[in-house]
Amino acid sequence: MWKLIFEIKGRAKMTVTGKEQITFKQALGYYVSFGMYSENSIYQQYPKSKNAAVTLDDKLLELWDEDITGTTREEVQGMLSRIREHVSKAYKDSRQKMEVGNDV
């Protein structure tokens, strides 16, 4: 069993759990859907006594398979960084547009 914990601004938390081993596709899906918007994304494999909690970014890199994807870990790190930057910029831009729209 595993658990993903997303800590969102304002001290809110969201948890996702799964029974089987998490796959790269699942981890990336949760990263894109929730991880990029949260302040902290934690992956915890159970039992806790045998598995230390890691960031979702670290778990994605652990699951990455160069042979299947044809890209290196460094390229993935760059991709994750760029995705986070683009989402952050889009979020800020949309917030600014909403604030301008409320001024009218």
Side-chain angles (χ1 to χ4, degrees), residues 23-104:
T23 65
F24 178 77
K25 185 176 180 180
Q26 287 174 311
L28 185 59
Y30 289 122
Y31 180 85
V32 170
S33 298
F34 309 110
M36 293 186 301
Y37 307 101
S38 63
E39 291 182 359
N40 204 6
S41 303
I42 303 297
Y43 171 84
Q44 177 66 61
Q45 180 70 42
Y46 286 85
K48 283 184 173 182
S49 60
K50 295 181 181 178
N51 300 285
V54 297
T55 66
L56 183 54
D57 292 51
D58 289 341
K59 186 62 180 177
L60 279 167
L61 291 173
E62 177 188 320
L63 294 170
W64 194 259
D65 188 339
E66 291 182 30
D67 295 333
I68 293 172
T69 60
T71 55
T72 65
R73 287 177 63 106
E74 291 77 24
E75 290 171 324
V76 174
Q77 286 173 319
M79 177 188 72
L80 294 175
S81 178
R82 287 189 301 277
I83 289 172
R84 197 175 279 276
E85 288 173 14
H86 286 294
V87 169
S88 178
K89 183 180 182 316
Y91 178 76
K92 287 177 186 174
D93 290 348
S94 67
R95 297 286 297 173
Q96 288 175 346
K97 287 179 183 177
M98 288 187 335
E99 290 172 3
V100 169
N102 290 335
D103 290 343
V104 176

